[in-house]
């Protein structure tokens, strides 16, 4: 029901999602589209951004658990903890849920954490490294790794600005949308610097 792509460098974290919500399970070649304008990225505060792919209703319930706190003071680590505690309490459709949490950790370093229903919401955190980019993604009905390898990673060496990164991520989602009808080209972006 969605695609989410994230890039974290040593001074930023950017996420881009599409906006399509389809009825699950998908039957036939053409899914029933419920919405074309559902943002799948949310900026929690100036340090943390969260994105999702998969069961949108479940993902939104999980992410909205942060609203029980004063979000302006939440660290990335606390957001991940809240998501990990809430997720097992939420029923998830067979399509599953994949969450990406990026931004500054409590020490000020940029990191990207991934967690999902397929791994029982065990978070995997990677720190950004000087001179390199963390590139992650998730897509409900398409294996995302080949798309990242083919469409995103080869362009990383030529990135000179955040606009370059946005164009690359938008382009990857556009190509995904050509073959995966649960993805559209309505882009939603969030950035932490």
């Amino acid at each position: 029901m969605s695609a989410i792509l994230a890039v974290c460098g040593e001074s930023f974290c950017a996420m881009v999602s599409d906006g399509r919500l389809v009825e699950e399970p998908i039957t036939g070649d053409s899914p029933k589209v419920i919405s074309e304008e559902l943002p799948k990225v949310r900026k929690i505060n100036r340090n943390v951004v969260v994105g999702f792919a998969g069961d949108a209703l479940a993902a939104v319930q999980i992410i909205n658990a942060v609203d029980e706190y004063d979000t302006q003071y939440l660290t990335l680590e606390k957001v991940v903890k809240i998501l990990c505690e809430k997720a097992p309490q939420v029923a998830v459709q067979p399509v599953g849920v994949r969450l990406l949490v990026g931004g500054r950790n409590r020490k000020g370093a940029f990191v990207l954490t991934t967690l999902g229903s397929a791994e029982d919401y065990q978070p995997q955190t990677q720190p950004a490294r000087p001179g390199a980019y963390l590139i992650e993604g998730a897509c409900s009905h398409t294996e995302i790794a080949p798309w990242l390898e083919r469409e995103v990673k080869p362009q990383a060496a030529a990135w000179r600005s955040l606009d370059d990164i946005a164009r690359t991520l938008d382009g990857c989602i556009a190509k995904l949308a050509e073959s995966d009808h649960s993805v559209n080209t309505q882009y939603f972006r969030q950035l932490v610097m």
Side-chain angles (χ1 to χ4, degrees):
M1 291 201 298
S2 51
I4 180 80
L5 302 174
V7 173
C8 280
E10 57 188 310
S11 62
F12 73 94
C13 184
M15 286 192 194
V16 177
S17 81
D18 78 310
R20 182 167 283 172
L21 172 64
V22 300
E23 185 175 83
E24 289 287 347
I26 293 176
T27 56
D29 291 337
S30 240
K32 180 180 178 190
V33 175
I34 298 169
S35 175
E36 296 285 10
E37 297 181 4
L38 176 69
K40 297 167 194 135
V41 292
R42 177 178 172 193
K43 192 168 188 174
I44 303 299
N45 58 38
R46 65 185 188 90
N47 292 315
V48 184
V49 62
V50 178
F52 72 87
D55 181 346
L57 180 59
V60 169
Q61 289 177 43
I62 295 166
I63 294 168
N64 284 349
V66 302
D67 293 332
E68 295 175 24
Y69 301 83
D70 189 349
T71 57
Q72 70 177 336
Y73 298 112
L74 291 177
T75 63
L76 185 138
E77 292 88 348
K78 182 66 175 177
V79 170
V80 170
K81 182 178 180 186
I82 292 166
L83 299 178
C84 288
E85 289 173 354
K86 179 66 175 180
Q89 302 170 22
V90 176
V92 177
Q93 293 184 38
V95 70
V97 170
R98 187 86 173 146
L99 301 167
L100 304 179
V101 184
R104 274 191 209 89
N105 65 12
R106 71 175 139 244
K107 295 181 179 178
F110 279 86
V111 299
L112 185 60
T113 300
T114 60
L115 58 147
S117 56
E119 301 86 21
D120 295 322
Y121 302 105
Q122 293 300 311
Q124 301 295 315
T125 301
Q126 300 177 56
R129 297 180 312 269
Y133 297 105
L134 294 172
I135 301 171
E136 284 290 341
C139 189
S140 302
H141 297 285
T142 301
E143 176 59 43
I144 197 72
W147 291 89
L148 296 177
E149 290 295 326
R150 185 174 55 246
E151 304 295 333
V152 179
K153 289 182 181 179
Q155 295 183 40
W159 289 340
R160 299 290 176 253
S161 69
L162 291 171
D163 287 339
D164 292 341
I165 294 168
R167 272 191 294 280
T168 298
L169 298 180
D170 290 356
C172 184
I173 288 176
K175 288 185 179 181
L176 273 166
E178 290 174 9
S179 62
D180 183 335
H181 299 293
S182 71
V183 177
N184 73 0
T185 55
Q186 176 71 35
Y187 306 112
F188 295 91
R189 299 176 193 89
Q190 289 293 339
L191 175 67
V192 171
M193 293 184 71

